């Protein structure tokens, strides 16, 4: 526990500062401060002592050096119960500081500005602030340290209720918060400089030490299941993504909603023409594109109406009244995400009080560079699967050549298959899925599921496989259902037998040389 008698205040974010400083002054706390912060406090008729007066040394180098002085850090770091420390403090006429109120230059905010120069970014790297925070936090038993304005009211309440004294619990919590803040701040600087200097090939594309900086947006009702606590965090280095969702109506988003919304966004942004996707349990159960959004939605819904119940719908165009009417007619939906909603569409949906309507510019999101997967005691890091393929890259291996329409269907299907859990099989007609088989331990089972869902629509369709066909059995089953063409990775030791079966069944077969596993 400490009694606060002197406070050093040096902040960039001045939110709530005057009220907090006034509260400290009313408790008899002496205030010392720097430049702009001191000017603000004086303008509020508060008595402030300049740091330069406290140290006997002026600010210099355009303000780069203000608080980097033994009289500041000695005042923060001195162990009050160490006689030798206190002897040195007295010998050098250092006045002890009991509280440091410091927040940092807004580096994270600055680098999000368009066309931010390297020089301007570097000038927003705080040196004295982190040094003071760390000094005070290291000596947390004797110094209170506050790095977030959100803590002002809590600290004042404690001081007023305890005669100017702060408890050990409060001091400890404040110190821990400081080290979290400085860690996140340094990580942001590291990530920025690494990206600016990425042309230097001496650095691996995968860093030796991985620093991740995320800020909590909200607590969630629960996780994947009601007995699991959960929260939603946004990437502190990104202005884009689901952290920018705008919810127009409906219940609070759940953990599973957010996962499915992400899957919808990742898929729908693959397509340039008006498109719709329906997601269930992180897998698509219908995808289609068309000249109009309502037709795209109807075709996506027709792929698997049973699974679509209670699903998440994603659109890549502003949702109009005609499409909204189709969605309502098709039954219960959890969420709809789109770059916009017409007033007429919002009016139609307004009667569905629990339906979540969400705004997000799906094309305004930059392509992520890395994909993360948490494992016990570690983290797997890989490049995002953003590999595309052009028609001229496809290798036709069958005697029968695919038609132009079949090739177009293959390219459409190859865009979406990487978003389907492996083993993945999709049946395509034109620019519409008619059957999807996903997440099976056998590729044959995935094909059977896709064919069963397609029913009669399997006849004349194109089969998309996310990896090679290990045996001819998938070809045999597909041919029996009326599938006319197959696109697959190739590379199996059974390729010759698989191609022979395709020729026997008079099917076109194309090989990509690319695999799209999604585990």
């Amino acid at each position: 526990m400490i009694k606060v008698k002197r406070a050093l205040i040096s902040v960039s974010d001045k939110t709530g500062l005057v009220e907090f400083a006034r509260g400290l002054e009313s408790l008899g706390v002496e205030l010392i401060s720097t430049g702009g912060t001191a000017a603000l406090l004086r303008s509020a008729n508060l008595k402030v002592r300049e740091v330069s007066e406290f140290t006997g040394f002026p600010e210099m180098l355009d303000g780069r050096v203000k608080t980097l002085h033994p009289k500041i850090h000695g005042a923060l770091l001195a162990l009050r119960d160490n006689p030798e420390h206190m002897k040195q403090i007295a010998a050098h006429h250092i006045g002890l500081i009991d509280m440091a109120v410091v927040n940092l230059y807004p580096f994270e905010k600055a680098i999000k500005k368009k066309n931010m120069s390297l020089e301007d970014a570097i000038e927003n790297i705080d040196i004295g602030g982190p040094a003071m925070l760390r000094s005070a936090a290291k000596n947390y038993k004797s110094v209170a340290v506050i790095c977030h304005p959100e803590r002002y009211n809590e600290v004042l309440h404690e001081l007023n209720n305890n005669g100017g004294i702060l408890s050990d619990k409060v001091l400890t919590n404040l110190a821990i918060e400081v080290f979290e803040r400085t860690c996140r701040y340094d990580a942001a600087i590291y990530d920025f400089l690494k990206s600016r200097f990425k042309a230097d090939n001496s650095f691996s594309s995968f860093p030796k030490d991985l620093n991740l900086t995320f800020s909590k947006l909200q607590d969630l009702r629960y996780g994947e299941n009601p007995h699991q606590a959960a929260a939603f965090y946004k990437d502190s280095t990104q202005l884009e993504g689901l952290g920018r969702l705008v919810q127009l109506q409906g219940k609070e988003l759940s953990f599973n909603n957010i996962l499915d919304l992400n899957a919808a966004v990742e898929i729908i942004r693959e397509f340039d023409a008006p498109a719709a996707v329906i997601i269930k349990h992180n897998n698509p159960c219908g995808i289609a594109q068309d000249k109009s959004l309502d037709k795209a939605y109807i075709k996506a819904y027709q792929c698997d109406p049973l699974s679509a119940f209670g699903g998440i719908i994603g659109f890549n165009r502003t949702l109009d009244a005609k499409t909204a009417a189709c969605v309502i007619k098709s039954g219960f939906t959890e969420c709809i995400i789109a770059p916009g909603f017409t007033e007429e569409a919002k009016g139609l949906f307004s009667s569905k009080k629990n339906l979540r309507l969400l705004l997000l510019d799906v094309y305004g999101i930059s392509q992520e560079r890395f994909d993360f997967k948490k494992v016990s005691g570690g983290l797997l890091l890989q490049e995002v699967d953003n590999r595309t393929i052009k028609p001229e890259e496809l290798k036709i291996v069958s005697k029968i050549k695919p038609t132009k329409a079949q090739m177009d269907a293959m390219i459409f299907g190859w865009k979406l298959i990487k978003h389907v859990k492996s083993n993945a099989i999709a049946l395509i007609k034109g620019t519409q899925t008619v059957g999807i088989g996903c997440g099976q331990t056998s590729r044959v089972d995935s094909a059977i599921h896709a064919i069963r869902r397609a029913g009669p629509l399997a006849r004349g369709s194109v089969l998309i496989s996310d990896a090679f066909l290990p045996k001819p059995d998938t070809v045999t089953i597909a041919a029996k259902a009326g599938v006319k063409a197959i696109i697959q990775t190739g590379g199996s030791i059974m390729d010759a037998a698989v191609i022979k079966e395709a020729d026997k069944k008079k099917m076109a077969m194309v090989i990509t040389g690319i695999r799209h596993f999604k585990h």
Side-chain angles (χ1 to χ4, degrees):
M1 297 198 325
I2 62 166
K3 184 172 179 65
V4 179
K5 298 176 183 177
R6 179 181 289 126
L8 167 61
I9 305 176
S10 180
V11 298
S12 292
D13 181 357
K14 296 175 174 59
T15 304
L17 182 65
V18 170
E19 294 79 5
F20 181 62
R22 187 168 285 124
L24 293 177
E25 187 179 66
S26 70
L27 289 164
V29 177
E30 178 190 355
L31 306 179
I32 60 175
S33 189
T34 56
T37 305
L40 174 68
L41 297 178
R42 281 201 194 92
S43 70
N45 298 316
L46 290 163
K47 186 178 179 181
V48 183
R49 187 180 179 190
E50 286 276 358
V51 163
S52 57
E53 179 191 346
F54 184 80
T55 62
F57 205 87
E59 293 185 12
M60 61 188 300
L61 305 180
D62 296 321
R64 282 189 167 201
V65 178
K66 290 182 281 194
T67 57
L68 298 170
H69 194 279
K71 284 197 173 181
I72 295 296
H73 290 277
L76 294 172
L77 284 165
L79 296 173
R80 275 54 166 175
D81 58 357
N82 184 314
E84 187 57 35
H85 280 202
M86 299 314 293
K87 181 180 178 181
Q88 293 176 44
I89 288 292
H92 294 284
H93 308 290
I94 296 175
L96 296 175
I97 296 173
D98 311 301
M99 175 182 285
V101 183
V102 179
N103 57 57
L104 308 177
Y105 293 171
F107 179 82
E108 298 102 325
K109 184 178 180 181
I111 61 174
K112 290 173 184 175
K113 295 177 182 177
K114 289 185 178 179
N115 303 318
M116 168 60 70
S117 69
L118 179 62
E119 291 75 18
D120 287 342
I122 287 174
E123 284 307 310
N124 276 279
I125 297 175
D126 202 330
I127 303 300
M132 287 187 290
L133 286 176
R134 293 175 69 87
S135 290
K138 179 174 180 175
N139 200 20
Y140 68 92
K141 291 182 179 180
S142 300
V143 181
V145 57
I146 305 169
C147 62
H148 292 303
E150 292 86 352
R151 293 287 172 264
Y152 292 165
N153 288 338
E154 175 186 335
V155 171
L156 271 183
H157 179 77
E158 176 94 359
L159 289 169
N160 283 314
N161 283 353
N162 296 305
I165 293 174
L166 291 176
S167 68
D168 290 342
K169 181 179 180 181
V170 169
L171 296 172
T172 301
N173 289 340
L174 291 172
I176 291 170
E177 195 166 67
V178 160
F179 287 114
E180 184 276 332
R181 175 66 185 118
T182 56
C183 173
R184 185 156 44 90
Y185 193 73
D186 287 340
I189 296 168
Y190 164 75
D191 287 338
F192 173 79
L193 293 178
K194 182 182 67 173
S195 67
R196 281 297 176 102
F197 299 138
K198 62 186 176 185
D200 184 347
N201 293 324
S202 65
F203 287 98
S204 167
S205 59
F206 293 98
K208 180 181 178 182
D209 295 300
L210 185 64
N211 298 298
L212 303 177
T213 56
F214 291 84
S215 302
K216 188 165 76 171
L217 278 180
Q218 66 187 91
D219 289 312
L220 301 173
R221 287 181 296 160
Y222 52 79
E224 286 180 291
N225 299 291
H227 60 272
Q228 295 172 267
F232 180 30
Y233 288 75
K234 70 170 183 176
D235 187 337
S236 300
T237 65
Q238 295 280 352
L239 276 174
E240 307 159 345
L242 295 190
R244 301 282 291 185
L245 276 176
V246 176
Q247 186 165 349
L248 301 179
Q249 73 166 52
K251 297 188 298 184
E252 179 186 353
L253 288 173
S254 72
F255 184 96
N256 293 333
N257 289 158
I258 294 169
L259 281 176
D260 287 342
L261 286 166
N262 186 67
V265 169
E266 290 297 313
I267 294 173
I268 206 66
R269 63 203 295 261
E270 295 274 2
F271 305 103
D272 297 323
V277 60
I278 303 170
I279 300 291
K280 195 70 173 290
H281 300 306
N282 224 226
N283 268 308
C285 54
I287 308 164
Q289 68 176 25
D290 208 291
K291 292 180 180 179
S292 66
L293 202 63
D294 60 304
K295 289 180 179 178
Y297 171 71
I298 290 169
K299 288 180 177 179
Y301 178 76
Q302 287 172 342
C303 179
D304 190 356
L306 183 63
S307 296
F309 182 83
I312 305 287
I313 307 173
F315 295 98
N316 64 353
R317 295 288 191 281
T318 295
L319 200 152
D320 56 18
K322 192 172 183 181
T323 308
C326 293
V327 172
I328 291 170
K329 184 178 179 182
S330 62
F332 172 58
T333 298
E334 284 274 0
C335 306
I336 301 173
I337 188 168
F341 296 82
T342 66
E343 291 301 319
E344 293 83 357
K346 287 191 282 188
L348 289 173
F349 287 131
S350 63
S351 62
K352 305 290 184 181
K353 300 300 182 185
N354 290 331
L355 172 62
R356 304 162 178 92
L357 296 186
L358 300 136
L359 277 174
L360 186 70
D361 178 7
V362 297
Y363 293 122
I365 303 173
S366 301
Q367 177 66 59
E368 295 277 359
R369 184 181 177 193
F370 294 122
D371 175 42
F372 306 87
K373 296 190 188 308
K374 184 72 179 72
V375 297
S376 179
L379 187 76
L380 292 172
L381 179 65
Q382 65 175 347
E383 293 179 337
V384 168
D385 183 5
N386 55 13
R387 181 71 159 83
T388 57
I389 198 163
K390 298 175 182 177
E392 57 267 26
E393 295 178 288
L394 299 175
K395 182 181 179 182
I396 300 169
V397 294
S398 56
K399 292 177 181 178
I400 293 179
K401 309 303 179 188
T403 64
K404 183 182 183 305
Q406 288 171 339
M407 288 288 280
D408 289 344
M410 288 177 182
I411 294 296
F412 174 81
W414 200 249
K415 287 182 179 180
L416 67 89
I417 200 68
K418 67 184 178 185
H419 300 287
V420 184
K421 292 279 187 179
S422 301
N423 288 310
I425 296 288
L427 300 183
I428 308 293
K429 276 191 170 180
T431 54
Q432 171 189 11
T433 56
V434 294
I436 301 174
C438 55
Q440 303 301 311
T441 53
S442 159
R443 191 157 300 278
V444 172
D445 283 340
S446 288
I448 291 170
H449 278 268
I451 290 166
R452 184 183 300 131
R453 286 188 170 93
L457 292 175
R459 190 160 298 280
S461 66
V462 172
L463 184 147
I464 319 291
S465 174
D466 68 342
F468 65 61
L469 301 180
K471 294 180 180 180
D473 46 10
T474 301
V475 180
T476 306
I477 292 167
K480 187 176 180 181
V483 173
K484 294 299 182 182
I486 293 175
I487 181 171
Q488 55 125 340
T489 301
S492 165
I493 59 173
M494 295 290 286
D495 269 359
V498 170
I499 296 166
K500 183 178 179 181
E501 180 68 5
D503 288 335
K504 179 181 175 182
K505 301 298 184 183
K506 295 181 170 50
M507 300 172 74
M509 181 170 284
V510 169
I511 284 178
T512 66
I514 300 165
R515 190 179 74 183
H516 275 318
F517 270 172
K518 184 182 180 185
H519 278 45

